[in-house]
Amino acid sequence: MSSRHTISRSGPEGAFERKVLLSKWALLFEQIWPRAWIMLGLAVLFIAVSLAGLWPRLPELPHKIMLGLFGLGFVGAVVALLGVRWPTRERALRRVETVSGIQHRPASSYEDTLTLGAEDGRTAALWRAHRQRLAALLAKLRVGRPAPRTARYD
């Protein structure tokens, strides 16, 4: 499998490449959302404490401790958010296959190449038939909606 894939704008391969790209975006969102939710929750909690007027009522040391805890929590959330990486093609293919529920991994199999026996006419014909069957299955693949689980993240 090559690490570089060009996107053909037309035909079934172009549609397949668009599905892979959309799957990558969905995977990225699934990684970002739980981490962003933590940051958003901390910001809302900080604003609520501020609007409730609790900061002036706290003695100096607890005030500084609370601000420090909010700061540490926010820095931790930013570090977690910076840990997000662009999904690999393999993960995107696996997601498309999982969401689609089609057996025998057609997207991953479509990425395969014929290395041995390419010069043999029968082998080449069998390989072309296999690729045509996989191309028909590619049209049935779905990306699906992102499913970020905010209860936990990987």
Side-chain angles (χ1 to χ4, degrees):
M1 182 167 25
S2 71
S3 61
R4 218 168 124 203
H5 296 274
T6 58
I7 298 178
S8 169
R9 297 285 180 207
S10 63
E13 287 188 12
F16 172 64
E17 290 300 327
R18 284 187 292 279
K19 290 175 184 178
V20 172
L21 182 61
L22 286 173
S23 179
K24 284 183 178 183
W25 280 107
L27 283 167
L28 186 67
F29 180 77
E30 289 172 357
Q31 290 181 65
I32 289 175
W33 181 246
R35 291 164 172 91
W37 184 248
I38 293 170
M39 195 179 314
L40 182 64
L42 279 171
V44 167
L45 184 61
F46 182 82
I47 291 170
V49 169
S50 298
L51 289 177
L54 296 180
W55 295 120
R57 295 181 184 170
L58 288 175
E60 184 178 348
L61 184 61
H63 183 113
K64 289 180 180 179
I65 290 173
M66 290 293 290
L67 285 177
L69 289 175
F70 271 111
L72 282 175
F74 193 77
V75 167
V78 168
V79 168
L81 196 57
L82 291 175
V84 172
R85 299 287 175 246
W86 183 251
T88 63
R89 183 173 181 83
E90 290 76 25
R91 284 192 65 205
L93 290 174
R94 178 76 60 211
R95 184 182 185 284
V96 167
E97 291 169 339
T98 303
V99 168
S100 299
I102 298 175
Q103 295 180 349
H104 307 299
R105 300 176 44 200
S108 299
S109 297
Y110 195 76
E111 299 279 307
D112 292 342
T113 57
L114 183 61
T115 55
L116 294 176
E119 63 279 347
D120 181 28
R122 290 181 293 183
T123 303
L126 185 61
W127 181 251
R128 279 192 304 276
H130 171 68
R131 295 279 292 180
Q132 288 173 347
R133 183 184 62 81
L134 288 176
L137 288 175
L138 291 181
K140 296 179 182 178
L141 293 176
R142 298 180 298 116
V143 176
R145 294 181 180 172
R149 298 182 307 192
T150 53
R152 64 178 178 85
Y153 56 87
D154 300 325

